[in-house]
Amino acid sequence: MIAYASRTGTKRNLAALRKANWRLLVSAKGVLRNEGFRYALDNGAWSSFQAGLPFDVAAFEKAVDLLGADADFVVVPDIVEGGLESLRFSLVWLKRLEGIGRRRLIAVQDGMDVDDVRPHLGPTVGIFLGGSTEWKLSTMQSWGMLARKTGAYFHVGRVNTAKRIKMCSLCGADSF
């Protein structure tokens, strides 16, 4: 299982991440540098959601232009806790991002079901488990099973405890 940490510029933290073979998750709403690490590109929707702002299309497009090509994966734009409206929004972006990065991940959100997402998954389109913490923890197993059945990559977002890392492992996550 691959570990990603939110991008940091602190030399001590970067050294510790390098020593542990972690990668970086660079947000479109943050500093657009990978510090020499392998990395994934997050769309910045969570940061906008936390600030009470709409999705920042310009920031995401700039991030894709600068870092998308070499990203392990790109998180397709979504609407945090937006259910099927988020999926519809993501599917428009999914097509626009074809060929960017090694793979694209659909951020699954509260209100989505595995049957809603299954038709869109495969080797180059995977799952980024987002949504509210309660929903994420209660549905993680189902998303892991779907990823295995479809050959899709499975990443769990906002994993910040040893207990959640263990849950990711038990659910077959490729990364957190």
Side-chain angles (χ1 to χ4, degrees), residues 27-32 41-43 55-69 93:
S27 172
K29 294 291 287 178
V31 177
L32 299 178
L41 181 60
D42 185 41
N43 61 40
F55 177 68
D56 190 337
V57 172
F60 178 67
E61 288 176 336
K62 179 180 177 182
V64 168
D65 288 345
L66 288 173
L67 297 172
W93 279 97

Side-chain angles (χ1 to χ4, degrees), residues 107-122:
V108 295
Q109 299 288 343
D110 301 51
M112 288 186 197
D113 185 84
V114 294
D115 291 331
D116 300 322
V117 180
R118 178 181 287 119
H120 311 289
L121 301 177

